Each structure stands twice: as C-alpha cells, then as structure tokens.
Amino acid sequence: MCGIAGIVRFDGKPADDLLLRTMTERLTHRGPDEEGVWFSGPVGLGHRRLSIIDIASSSQPMASPDDRLHLCFNGEILNYRRLRDGLSYPFRTDGDTETLLAAHVVHGPGATELLDGQFAYALHDSATGELTLVRDRLGILPLYYHMDANRIVFASEIKALLPALESGPEIDTASLDSYLGQRSVPAPFTLFAGVRKLPPGHRLRVVEGRARLERYWSIPDGTRTEVTGPQAVAEVEAALRRAVEAATVADVPVGAYLSGGVDSSLIVALVNELRGGSGVDTFAAGFADQRYDELPFARRVSDLIGTRHHEVVLSPADFTDLWPRLTWHRDAPISEASDFAVFRLAELARRHVTVVLSGEGSDELFGGYPKYRVAPKLARMARLPAPLRVPVVEAVQRRLPPAAARARIALRTLSGATEEDRNLTWFAPFTGAERAELVGRWPTHPRARASRDGDLVRRMLAADCASWLPDNLLERGDRMSMAASLELRPPFLDHRLVELAFSLPSDVKVRRGITKWVVKEVARRRLPAEIVDRPKVGFRVPMDAWFRGGLEAMAWDLLTARDSLASTLLDRAAVQRLLHRHRSGVANEEARIWPLLSLEVWHRTFFLGEGVPEGQVA
C-alpha cells in the first residue's frame, strides 16, 4: 500500500508546492520506500510508495505516454497480469500501477469495474481538467478530501489534509452523535468539520469546481432460494481459495495473522495448501488476562499446519504509551481497544514480511456474530409497543449481574424504535437516550438509507457491510498496519466472494443456531473441531479490569478535568456517574468509558498537540 495526496485549484492559481510536499510528508509511514510529486499549473499530485509489486520500477505519480493522464494510486490490483494481457498499450513497466493507468486509457471510467483488489486512486485528465477520485468496492483503503470554492485537496489520511484547512481543524459536532452511537463516523462524514470520506464503491468526479459523486458498485439485490448446504460449501470454498491465491500476489514476503479463530486459521490453512505445504509466517497477539488470551489456540493451529509462528503479549503499559501516537495514526478516536493489539501485531509482522493476510470481513458476510442468531427472536419482542417494552427491558437490565454483558447488549437493542435503530444499537456504546443525556441537542447528520432487501439477517449483514465494516474495522486495520508500514489484505473481501455471500440464503449462514455455518464447514475439512466449533471470543482486551487498575487514574484524570472535552461538550455529571458505576463494580461500563476516553485523547492530540509523534505536527 501507499499514500497519495493532491491539490487541484479552480481559480487558475498554481498548486502550492510547499503545501503538497507537507501533505505528502505526513504520509511517509504509508510509503517509506520512495516519494514522488508532479506539478502542472493548478494541479499537484504527491505519492509515498511502499514497494510491493514491480519493486524496481512503477514510480508515481505516473503519466500516460501522451502525458494526458496522471495517476496517483494506493493499493493492489490483484488481477493486473490478466488485465494487462487484454490491453493494447505500450507498457514500460511490469507493475499493476501502469496496468491501472492503461486500463483507463483504453476503457475510460469503466476501467474501475474491471479491477479486482483493494485500491484508492486519483486520476487527472489534462485535456478536460477533470479529477477523478476512486475508492474500492468494500472500502478496504481510505480516501479523504476537502473542497471549497477555490480548490479540492485529497489524501489517504486526514492528517495530511489538516495543513490545507485555512481556519485550522474544527470539530464536526454533528458527527458526535454518530461516533457515540457507532464508535466511528459513517461516510461521507468525519469528526473534522469540512473533511469528507469518499464512500466505498464510489467515484468523485470534479471539473471546474463542480463535483459529482457516483456509485459504481453495490451489494447485489436478490437471494438464490434453491441452494443446498453442500452446494453452498463447495461454492464458498472455491471462491475463498481463489481469493486467497489472488491475495498472495506480491514481489515481497507475505504472511498471515493467526488468532486461533476459525477465519484466520482457515486463511492460513489455504495459504499453506497453495504453497504446497512450504510453510507461512504467522503472527498472534495475547494478553496477560487468561479470560481473553487466545494464544494457546493460535499455537495449536500453527503446530497443526506447520507455520513459522511469532507472538506478542500486551499489558496496560502498552495503552498509556501508545494511545496518543496511535490516535495520530488513526486520525480519529481509537474505536476499539483491540486497535493496540493490531498495531503491535503489525509491528511484529513487519520484521518478517511486508504483506499480511487477515480474516477480516467473514463475520459481516456470513453471520459470525451472536447477534445474527438471536436478532430474529428479539424482533418478535420488539413488536410490543414501546411504552410496554422499554420499561420491562430497563427493569431486567438493572437486575443483570455485571458479567452478563452479552445479555445486556441484546436487551439494549430493544430500546430502539425502528429496525434500523435496533441494528445500530448492537454495536452502540450509548443508546439514543444515553446519547441525548450526554450530548444534549446537537445537530446530527442524516443517516444513509438502510437496505430493505431480503430477510432480517440479510438486512443486518448489509447494514454492517455498509458502515461497521469500512468505517470501523477496515479503517482500524488500514491505519494500524500502515503505522508499521505493513500492507494488510483481507481475502474474504474479494468482491466476487462478497457477491456470492449475498446471493446465498441466510439459512446456510446461520443454521440450527450455528453462526457462520458455511465457513465452518469449509474449515472443517482442514481444521480440528476444537478450533472450528469453539465459541467466538473476538479480539477482546481486558479493559474492565484495567479500568479498575492500571488505567483507572488516567480515565478519571482526563475525563473529569475542567478543560476536558467531556466537560465542555458533554454532560460532565453524566460522565462522572459512569465512572463511579464502573469503579464500584455495580456495572461494567468499559464499553462506554472507552469511547469517551478515546475521544478525549483524540481532542488533545489534534487540537492541543499533546502526544504527537516526534517530527510531526497535528
């Protein structure tokens, strides 16, 4: 992967050389191998390269032979060899960058639909003056922009755009409700006022100050009804095998994350098969708290497959030491405590490989979370009128012990007035009522229209793929891996596999109470039952204990300070009540303390300049 940045002015003035170089420099971690800039009057493009394919060539920005098109590209076109065989073009390199450029020369905007892989790129046409920004179908790679009457600036990360904001960074208060409700801000918005996120599967076309946002891909409607279990298993196995094979295309070493869960273990098993059993480097993270430590399972899979296995163990000290630094890399509050583990994993992996595969996306495609199993039952309870339903739910919640976290989450969803509200509440730190108590009556951004296609499970999966996956998990994966200059590839998000997944009926995803049934049946052919059938743990961090121990003082100091964001924008008394409930043990409030504390660290990093990495400016 790489980092891209650019400026296009609409008033005819030349692009600012110093500004573009400053923007590009802020992306050095994304591309430590090479820097390139190109200027032509009002246009400037910048690039930082992490060399993965065609290492000796393929410098960017890259121009077409007639100097009409200039490309700035972040990502990998995994089908570039096959694609270039069908293009009549005077190739000068052997890489995927020039293949992408050639595809646009030959096919125009329709070239995007020909691509397999993960990508975010900018293409400038000097003949028409048009700038086109494109983001891959699932949103694996990021692209941000800021546009005013005089220019558009864009970059792979928000921090690279901040020097271009004439009034400096400001908080988009309308996005606070989204953050507190979803732990992230859905595209096209961000927590920075005026900074927009290009949605997955979209292109933005800009000419003479006029912008047009176009969708070029979406999850297909319709589900096949006559699909047997064995047929679904065979189709998923073949598609996943093709996706893993494509994801290993590189001219540098490729490894894989291995948590010991079914998804990462299956990816590792397939990589090993495709390599003829020659082995693969695998990487796992663990914690001192035995409740959440999955290292023994990762070791079991490693021993079974014969990988070269590497591990890292995290402690509370990792969090206090890394929080500001990783917040700077994230460009946003650290949405999940597991972000720290993902970064430590990336650091570890980068010592051995340049590309790593992960199992990201499987849960959102094939129904891996427990919520997909219980939601249909809860939907029947949700038919009760709210005046009857909500008081009962609240009374039951108050009687649940602190350890009953999953039951509490399930009951909380019943507070939602609509199906969409209930779907969002599954991952919500704060319900709508709790957000109103904290934030008051701030304005909010309108929500994107939820999918109405298919049954409840399919609609939930589509909703998660629209926001939870790209705006939280994939954004986290990109930033934490790029912070270590490591490329992350999720084979489950090959768009052909995604399209197959949404064509399958829900009963091969959640079957007889078994979540992700079809994936587990594929895995069963390669892995023991103790791995395939063990309960889903997830990448959990023991924050409940740490917020009563090593991180308790930090939480109280930052969130109750008179100049804190929690005290100036939120209801300070409500925040203190939250901290008291957790300290006393009456309730486990880690899921709500975390996003508030992360928001505070984000504000101090980007608005007060505290904890910014050496040599960088917020």
Side-chain angles (χ1 to χ4, degrees):
M1 282 188 251
C2 304
I4 65 174
I7 305 169
V8 177
R9 297 198 64 95
F10 313 134
D11 54 12
K13 294 181 180 179
D16 188 323
D17 181 300
L18 179 59
L19 174 59
L20 180 62
R21 293 181 187 276
T22 300
M23 293 167 62
T24 306
E25 184 180 2
R26 288 195 172 198
L27 302 172
T28 299
H29 54 284
R30 296 189 71 91
D33 297 331
E34 189 177 357
E35 179 182 24
V37 294
W38 170 79
F39 291 94
S40 179
V43 183
L45 301 178
H47 187 264
R48 293 293 320 196
R49 187 182 185 202
L50 178 63
S51 301
I52 303 292
I53 292 174
D54 191 29
I55 295 172
S57 303
S58 297
S59 295
Q60 296 187 53
M62 184 177 287
S64 59
D66 61 2
D67 216 36
R68 174 176 172 173
L69 298 182
H70 285 80
L71 174 68
C72 217
F73 164 53
N74 169 31
E76 307 296 342
I77 308 303
L78 300 177
N79 64 330
Y80 81 97
R81 290 174 179 146
R82 185 175 72 253
L83 187 58
R84 70 186 284 142
D85 287 343
L87 297 172
S88 177
Y89 184 87
F91 286 100
R92 296 164 290 181
T93 72
D94 296 321
D96 59 339
T97 300
E98 192 175 22
T99 302
L100 172 58
L101 182 60
H104 271 279
V105 170
V106 175
H107 297 288
T112 306
E113 283 88 331
L114 303 175
L115 308 178
D116 297 339
Q118 52 198 65
F119 47 84
Y121 63 89
L123 188 75
H124 184 264
D125 187 331
S126 60
T128 64
E130 182 175 77
L131 171 73
T132 303
L133 304 180
V134 183
R135 192 174 179 204
D136 65 58
R137 297 169 179 85
L138 277 301
I140 300 171
L141 296 188
L143 193 50
Y144 298 88
Y145 63 95
H146 168 75
M147 186 172 172
D148 57 32
N150 297 318
R151 63 182 178 173
I152 182 171
V153 291
F154 64 86
S156 296
E157 298 182 6
I158 294 175
K159 67 180 66 62
L161 294 179
L162 298 183
L165 302 181
E166 294 181 355
S167 60
E170 297 178 4
I171 297 175
D172 180 15
T173 53
S175 291
L176 271 180
D177 182 74
S178 295
Y179 169 72
L180 293 173
Q182 301 176 53
R183 288 183 269 180
S184 60
V185 179
F189 304 105
T190 73
L191 276 173
F192 289 92
V195 176
R196 295 291 180 260
K197 184 189 323 183
L198 187 63
H202 282 73
R203 61 169 70 92
L204 183 73
R205 303 178 71 172
V206 184
V207 182
E208 296 179 350
R210 296 186 299 274
R212 184 170 74 252
L213 186 65
E214 301 174 347
R215 178 185 286 276
Y216 69 86
W217 183 88
S218 60
I219 293 170
D221 290 336
T223 302
R224 292 180 291 158
T225 55
E226 301 300 324
V227 180
T228 66
Q231 180 184 352
V233 172
E235 291 182 14
V236 170
E237 180 174 37
L240 181 58
R241 186 180 178 88
R242 285 194 301 268
V244 171
E245 184 174 20
T248 58
V249 171
D251 296 331
V252 293
V254 178
Y257 288 154
L258 178 59
S259 69
V262 66
D263 301 320
S264 64
S265 299
L266 177 54
I267 294 293
V268 169
L270 287 169
V271 172
N272 193 57
E273 283 180 20
L274 289 164
R275 291 183 174 178
S278 61
V280 59
D281 284 281
T282 54
F283 309 93
F287 308 97
D289 192 318
Q290 295 301 312
R291 294 174 300 167
Y292 306 128
D293 189 10
E294 294 191 287
L295 288 179
F297 296 102
R299 292 173 196 143
R300 173 78 174 92
V301 175
S302 174
D303 291 342
L304 177 71
I305 297 174
T307 77
R308 297 178 293 274
H309 193 57
H310 315 272
E311 296 179 350
V312 62
V313 177
L314 280 80
S315 71
D318 287 283
F319 288 73
T320 53
D321 293 344
L322 288 172
W323 212 322
R325 174 185 169 191
L326 295 188
T327 298
W328 185 85
H329 278 289
R330 186 73 162 77
D331 287 329
I334 299 292
S335 57
E336 309 285 335
S338 54
D339 289 20
F340 292 82
V342 174
F343 171 70
R344 284 298 193 208
L345 263 179
E347 271 192 324
L348 173 65
R350 190 62 177 90
R351 298 179 199 135
H352 304 271
V353 300
T354 312
V355 176
V356 69
L357 309 189
S358 81
E360 209 75 87
S362 176
D363 289 323
E364 293 77 18
L365 294 179
F366 295 102
Y369 298 122
K371 68 175 186 174
Y372 301 120
R373 181 177 64 242
V374 301
K377 300 175 183 177
L378 292 173
R380 292 193 287 273
M381 298 173 61
R383 295 171 188 164
L384 289 171
L388 294 176
R389 183 179 73 248
V390 174
V392 172
V393 169
E394 291 176 349
V396 173
Q397 279 188 278
R398 285 193 295 269
R399 288 172 171 78
L400 288 174
R406 286 187 172 176
R408 183 174 287 104
I409 290 171
L411 286 171
R412 280 164 58 86
T413 67
L414 292 174
S415 65
T418 66
E419 179 184 303
E420 183 181 12
D421 290 335
R422 291 190 289 275
N423 284 346
L424 291 174
T425 303
W426 282 104
F427 290 135
F430 299 94
T431 64
E434 291 166 341
R435 296 198 300 276
E437 180 186 9
L438 276 174
V439 181
R441 296 194 175 274
W442 284 109
T444 60
H445 291 301
R447 291 178 183 170
R449 186 178 67 86
S451 172
R452 292 285 178 260
D453 185 52
D455 59 28
L456 176 60
V457 170
R458 191 187 198 279
R459 295 194 300 271
M460 291 175 68
L461 292 168
D464 285 345
C465 284
S467 183
W468 171 255
L469 180 64
D471 296 314
N472 189 347
L473 302 183
L474 295 178
E475 196 171 295
R476 177 267 304 276
D478 173 82
R479 296 308 189 287
M480 296 302 101
S481 59
M482 282 285 94
S485 301
L486 178 78
E487 176 167 300
L488 181 68
R489 296 181 183 175
F492 275 103
L493 295 180
D494 181 299
H495 77 274
R496 296 160 299 182
L497 179 55
V498 173
E499 291 169 355
L500 168 63
F502 275 95
S503 78
L504 296 175
S506 295
D507 68 0
V508 301
K509 300 171 186 177
V510 181
R511 172 167 286 199
R512 296 186 295 275
I514 299 173
T515 56
K516 214 157 43 182
W517 178 84
V518 66
V519 173
K520 290 177 180 177
E521 290 306 299
V522 174
R524 204 176 300 281
R525 301 176 177 184
R526 296 165 174 84
L527 299 167
E530 65 185 280
I531 299 299
V532 175
D533 296 325
R534 75 184 183 90
K536 183 176 179 61
V537 176
F539 217 165
R540 290 292 309 278
V541 181
M543 298 306 300
D544 56 340
W546 290 1
F547 277 142
R548 295 188 186 99
L551 296 179
E552 182 180 16
M554 177 186 179
W556 277 85
D557 290 347
L558 288 183
L559 291 177
T560 63
R562 286 290 177 184
D563 63 344
S564 71
L565 193 64
S567 296
T568 55
L569 277 184
L570 307 179
D571 186 293
R572 189 166 183 262
V575 173
Q576 288 180 326
R577 287 194 295 271
L578 198 68
L579 293 169
H580 277 296
R581 285 199 299 272
H582 189 79
R583 172 186 278 176
S584 67
V586 171
N588 178 5
E589 298 289 3
E590 61 171 300
R592 280 162 288 288
I593 295 173
W594 179 267
L596 293 178
L597 194 54
S598 290
L599 186 67
E600 190 64 43
V601 175
W602 168 79
H603 180 256
R604 290 174 179 269
T605 300
F606 283 97
F607 293 84
L608 304 180
E610 297 181 7
V612 176
E614 186 177 351
Q616 299 291 344
V617 178

